[in-house]
Amino acid sequence: MNEELLNFDISEERDAISLETGFERLESLVKALEQKDLPLENALNYFKVGVALVQHCSRVLNQAEKQMQVLLEDPDGQLQFQPISFDVKG
């Protein structure tokens, strides 16, 4: 496993990691965790890093959602910006 993934420290890198990079690292961690001969200690470390990455990616997505706005017409015919909301099911 790539040592860069294992040594990931979300507190130090949280602003430097893009959503895409976070997903790529998560994908690598999942592949590593799928190995049958992976020692338990390594698996636990990869899992911890994965949880931190999921939390980071979730924060990035939440922040992006807050920044998105939709231009809608109110009942009086005036256009106004309103925050967009995504209903997540499942």
Side-chain angles (χ1 to χ4, degrees):
M1 177 75 192
N2 187 340
E3 285 299 316
E4 177 184 332
L5 292 175
L6 187 57
N7 293 328
F8 175 73
D9 183 356
I10 195 70
S11 63
E12 292 178 7
E13 297 185 37
R14 87 173 140 224
D15 295 328
I17 294 194
S18 68
L19 184 63
E20 293 79 11
T21 301
F23 284 156
E24 289 171 5
R25 289 183 179 190
L26 278 169
E27 186 176 343
S28 295
L29 285 168
V30 168
K31 286 179 184 177
L33 285 167
E34 289 174 343
Q35 296 174 4
K36 293 181 181 181
D37 60 345
L38 182 66
L40 180 60
E41 183 178 347
N42 289 0
L44 289 172
N45 287 332
Y46 296 161
F47 182 78
K48 288 177 189 177
V49 171
V51 168
L53 281 167
V54 167
Q55 291 171 342
H56 169 71
C57 290
S58 179
R59 280 192 299 272
V60 170
L61 287 171
N62 287 337
Q63 186 177 27
E65 182 178 348
K66 288 177 185 176
Q67 292 176 357
M68 294 179 70
Q69 293 184 337
V70 177
L71 185 61
L72 298 175
E73 188 175 332
D74 68 13
D76 298 328
Q78 299 294 318
L79 295 178
Q80 58 181 324
F81 285 99
Q82 296 181 356
I84 191 168
S85 105
F86 298 102
D87 294 325
V88 178
K89 297 180 182 178

